[in-house]
Amino acid sequence: VGIVQDITARIAQEQEYSRLIDTANAPIFGIDLEGLVNVWNKNASDVTGFTTEDVMGRHLVNEFITEDYKERVQEVFRNALNGVETANFEFPLVTKPGTRVEVLLNATTRRDEKNRVIGVVGIGQDITARINQEQEYARLIDAANAPIFGIDVEGSVNVWNQCAIRLTGFDAGDVMGKHLVNEFITDDYKASVQGVFT
């Protein structure tokens, strides 16, 4: 006696899922329970220079993550394998030419049809250009020939350039994280300066 089950629809669904992953405009990769790559889409290849054939079956963290991030990335994957997903985790991937690509990652637990954990899928975004632009802005602010400072929503200093250091005598380490108005503005101007910020 044999039992036959038609799995045509499931196979078609898996093929559609595979096609969507491969054509997505974001790097998508997956690992199995041992951390070996089992999903690597075209965009991941475009971003890193590694083809699917280059990476399949290789350990993602050990071979494609920079040394300074291996432990943190491994922890994100370990958490996802335990059902704790991570969103917006930034880390560098090593490219085929040996450069770094900065990736913003969402790590999601992969499960089979019986809801058993079978790995992790990571959906990323190449943020290398954004990080480079932020660093360039920081360099421009720091080198400006006018004092530039910034505060966060609480009023604490989070930007203090070289000209502000020369003008006030306060080093960035002296002011960062401290309330600008309360600690660095004279009493007779506190109210008016605070009024500008609110």
Side-chain angles (χ1 to χ4, degrees):
V1 173
I3 298 175
V4 177
Q5 182 179 5
D6 185 3
I7 59 170
T8 306
R10 190 180 89 206
I11 290 172
Q13 185 179 19
E14 288 173 0
Q15 288 172 339
E16 177 67 6
Y17 170 71
S18 180
R19 188 185 66 75
L20 288 172
I21 286 175
D22 200 49
T23 59
N25 64 354
I28 299 175
F29 54 86
I31 59 169
D32 63 16
L33 296 173
E34 284 76 46
L36 304 179
V37 177
N38 58 10
V39 174
W40 193 264
N41 77 342
K42 182 180 179 326
N43 193 276
S45 294
D46 293 344
V47 166
T48 65
F50 289 109
T51 66
T52 302
E53 294 76 23
D54 291 334
V55 299
M56 289 303 240
R58 292 174 65 186
H59 198 278
L60 181 68
V61 173
N62 291 346
E63 298 188 50
F64 302 101
I65 304 298
T66 61
E67 198 62 43
D68 53 333
Y69 274 82
K70 284 183 182 190
E71 190 173 311
R72 286 179 273 183
V73 173
Q74 189 62 52
E75 182 180 348
V76 166
F77 291 153
R78 191 173 28 254
N79 287 342
L81 290 170
N82 289 314
V84 180
E85 299 177 350
T86 300
N88 300 322
F89 177 71
E90 292 184 28
F91 72 98
L93 272 174
V94 177
T95 65
K96 196 167 191 172
T99 59
R100 288 169 57 134
V101 173
E102 301 294 330
V103 175
L104 182 66
L105 177 77
N106 290 340
T108 304
T109 307
R110 290 183 69 198
R111 299 178 183 273
D112 66 12
E113 64 277 355
K114 293 183 181 175
N115 206 32
R116 294 177 299 214
V117 174
I118 59 170
V120 177
V121 65
I123 301 173
Q125 178 182 356
D126 180 357
I127 59 170
T128 307
R130 188 195 84 197
I131 288 175
N132 290 341
Q133 187 175 35
E134 289 171 357
Q135 290 171 344
E136 179 62 20
Y137 288 155
R139 282 191 295 275
L140 289 171
I141 287 170
D142 201 45
N145 62 358
I148 298 176
F149 60 88
I151 58 169
D152 62 18
V153 295
E154 305 297 322
S156 298
V157 176
N158 58 11
V159 173
W160 196 260
N161 77 346
Q162 292 297 313
C163 189
I165 292 169
R166 287 190 304 276
L167 183 68
T168 66
F170 290 111
D171 191 45
D174 299 330
V175 299
M176 294 299 241
K178 294 186 179 170
H179 197 276
L180 178 72
V181 173
N182 291 348
E183 299 194 36
F184 301 102
I185 303 299
T186 59
D187 288 339
D188 51 332
Y189 283 96
K190 282 187 194 286
S192 60
V193 171
Q194 187 63 48
V196 170
F197 294 139
T198 53

